[in-house]
Amino acid sequence: MLDREQVHKVAHLARLELTPAEEEQFTTQLGSILDYFEQLNELDTGDVPPTTRAIDVSNVVRVDALQPYPAREAILDGAPDRDGEFFKVPQIMGGE
Amino acid sequence: MASIRELHQQLVRKERSAVEIATEALARVQALEPKLHSFISVTADRAIAQAQQVDAKIAAGEAIGPLAGIPIGIKDNMCTTGIRTTCGSRILENFVPPYESTVTQRLFEAGALMVGKTNMDEFAMGSSTETSAYQVTANPWDLQRVPGGSSGGSAAAVAGGQCVVSLGSDTGGSIRQPAALCGVVGLKPTYGLVSRYGLVAYASSLDQIGPFARTVEDAAILLGAIAGYDPQDSTSLQVDVPDYAAALKPDFKPRGKLRIGVIQETFGEGLDATVEAAVTKAVEVLQELGAEIQVINCPQFRYGLPTYYIIAPSEASANLARYDGVKYGYRAADPDNLLDMYAKTRAKGFGAEVKRRIMIGTYVLSAGYYDAYYLKAQKVRTLIKQDFEHAFQKVDILVCPTSPTTAFKAGEKTDDPLSMYLSDLMTIPVNLAGLPALSLPCGFDDQGLPIGLQMIGNVLREDLLLSVAHAYEQATEWHKRSPSL
């Protein structure tokens, strides 16, 4: 069973700040969704290989070559904050 | 609104110009938006500019393809250069893609007129289009009801005649379920037939782009235009694309050569009696057309839903890690530090359903739970795939209801995620197996709401799927009804 502390921990792993009300709601909702998953244990899958993709294609490669990208400015312009040719972020350490 | 073929003939005979067609479609978009709310962005200038190019070609005596001058809606999770692409989310509210998705690139080259970007559940997570951060789209057959989802805007726009055809994406039923609820044709192609380059990723091993249309022929034409190998998508299949539309024969009579299987497990608890009756009648029509009908068992079918709700959120939790407020999209104001910026940006940028799925995915992938959930689900995915493989040894096409119910009322299921998830019960196993499937109208309930018939084909048998659907459509009148708006 899922408890509120676990929900809090998972939210941290997912980099999601939840309100106390959201934590409360997710504890109940995720709990019932996880219960719903339990029915898969009715199936014996001991010798069954996992499927990672629906239609298998393998050895898809391309030449690892640099190409000029024409829309560099457009990409930098899309950033919430920039400093010249850099993406700008708040301070990494401290500020707690 | 006319079909692609009719509009094409009018253009070629110079009875109407592409600008006239675009203007009429835009007027209809404008007139119906206050009721339907199908579009997040209307791209009138773009549609008119594209129409002028088509008219210039016609005036110069150049040949035009079938999609030239055809008004089309594009789900707002396909990147369009210079045109805002929100994915139905606040976190991408101001995102203007610097590149073009392969599907829209191909459509623009074919001369299609984009009238707008359609509303959708946030990041395609939902079955009613109610999780959109922007608006609730109405079902054109009953404005109090949902259009289905997640491609609800694309389905409603076609059903309401705001555009001739549209594109949606389907991860667990997001094309077929809204097609059923809105009474139009919707097709999810074989995984890998249509490039996902430029499609905002939800669950990459399941996502696939496909067409909405009012007729099977229009769906076939649109599929033909977007299908085919693309080196930009590493899961793209290197296969020849047949001329789907040309393969549709008006007098298609399989006469015993065609074997159709009815999936027994889809009939039973939870299935509306009117839906069951309409689908049963549709099977009789297929039999009268000459198909041999068999009852097929897919014992693992019902495990599709829990399997999907482990696999899709797992992939989503990884795919959506990129929304961190650094390179594009929304960033929360006044963070204490970098980590705080991530957590606050994602808290404010994502809606409840997206958070719920990120949480599920993060939990089932976390240390100690991986084998019990994710690995288990991948193994059950194999069993579900095997069910279909066994079925296609016996039959050529499988049929079942698309959705267990007709359109439900807005707000009815928003507080109960599990009951919302159940509306994708019949469509999800198909995505897990990567198969092509379509939904087309097969009746109406006593409240006048459309009912959808799902047809599932074997890998890359879109040609057969469309031929059988076309034969059924030509033998019935359902597609001739339209909602009174």
Side-chain angles (χ1 to χ4, degrees), chain B residues 39-43 76 83-86 115-119 135:
Chain B
F39 291 90
I40 291 177
S41 307
V42 175
T43 52
D76 208 20
I83 290 172
R84 187 172 78 124
T85 299
T86 70
V115 296
K117 303 291 296 282
T118 59
N119 194 29
Q135 60 203 11

Side-chain angles (χ1 to χ4, degrees), chain B residues 68 123 161 175 207 216 221 249 291 309 321 396 454 476:
Chain B
F123 283 99
I175 291 174
D207 297 340
V216 173
I221 293 170
K249 295 181 186 67
Y309 278 100
D396 306 298
Q454 181 173 221
T476 55

Side-chain angles (χ1 to χ4, degrees), chain B residues 101-147:
Chain B
S101 68
T102 297
V103 287
T104 50
Q105 181 73 43
R106 288 185 181 176
L107 290 177
F108 294 156
E109 280 165 10
L113 318 177
M114 181 172 72
V115 296
K117 303 291 296 282
T118 59
N119 194 29
M120 56 183 283
D121 280 301
E122 185 177 6
F123 283 99
M125 298 178 190
S127 310
S128 66
T129 313
E130 289 168 291
T131 74
S132 167
Y134 299 93
Q135 60 203 11
V136 174
T137 297
N139 189 309
W141 296 89
D142 178 346
L143 301 177
Q144 305 304 311
R145 289 172 192 271
V146 301

Side-chain angles (χ1 to χ4, degrees), chain A residues 2 6-8 10-18 22 25-26 29-30 32-34 36-46 48-57 60 69 71 74-75 78-81 87-96, chain B residues 98 190-191 205 234-235 237 300 302-303 305-307 309-310 325-329 331 335-344 346-347 350 352 355-356 358-360 362-363 369 373 375-376 378-383 385 415 417-418 421 432-434 459:
Chain A
L2 195 69
Q6 281 174 296
V7 169
H8 188 80
V10 172
H12 174 71
L13 289 174
R15 303 287 183 258
L16 273 175
E17 185 179 272
L18 299 183
E22 280 177 320
Q25 197 189 26
F26 282 168
Q29 288 179 340
L30 300 190
S32 56
I33 291 166
L34 291 174
Y36 184 73
F37 293 163
E38 288 304 315
Q39 60 182 292
L40 293 183
N41 292 324
E42 294 163 13
L43 294 169
D44 179 5
T45 51
V48 181
T51 294
T52 51
R53 58 195 80 195
I55 311 286
D56 228 351
V57 285
V60 178
Y69 184 74
I75 286 182
D81 200 4
F87 296 113
K88 196 174 172 185
V89 295
Q91 60 177 335
I92 292 172
M93 309 289 279
E96 298 280 333
Chain B
T190 303
Y191 184 79
S205 81
S234 64
T235 60
L237 299 174
Q300 263 53 259
R302 71 191 185 88
Y303 296 104
L305 200 63
T307 302
Y309 278 100
I310 292 170
V326 175
K327 296 189 291 300
Y328 46 81
R331 174 188 289 189
D336 293 333
N337 55 35
L338 186 65
L339 206 58
D340 188 49
M341 183 194 85
Y342 295 153
K344 284 201 165 75
R346 292 161 64 79
F350 291 139
K355 288 180 191 174
R356 201 151 34 230
I358 290 175
M359 291 287 290
I360 297 170
T362 307
Y363 179 80
Y369 298 101
Y373 294 109
L375 188 62
K376 180 80 185 182
Q378 285 188 313
K379 289 179 169 190
V380 178
R381 186 174 184 180
T382 304
L383 295 177
K385 241 184 119 170
D415 292 333
L418 269 176
Y421 297 172
L432 291 168
V459 177

Side-chain angles (χ1 to χ4, degrees), chain B residues 177-197:
Chain B
Q177 185 256 18
L181 270 47
C182 289
V184 296
V185 179
L187 187 149
K188 182 205 90 75
T190 303
Y191 184 79
L193 181 65
V194 177
S195 170
R196 291 182 295 113
Y197 180 72

Side-chain angles (χ1 to χ4, degrees), chain A residues 52, chain B residues 202-206 311-320 374 381:
Chain A
T52 51
Chain B
Y202 160 23
S204 308
S205 81
L206 303 162
I311 290 175
S314 295
E315 294 184 15
S317 71
N319 275 328
L320 271 62
Y374 189 66
R381 186 174 184 180

Side-chain angles (χ1 to χ4, degrees), chain B residues 28 32 35-36 139-141 143 159-161 483-485:
Chain B
R28 181 126 175 118
L32 291 178
K35 286 181 178 176
L36 294 181
N139 189 309
W141 296 89
L143 301 177
S484 45
L485 283 161

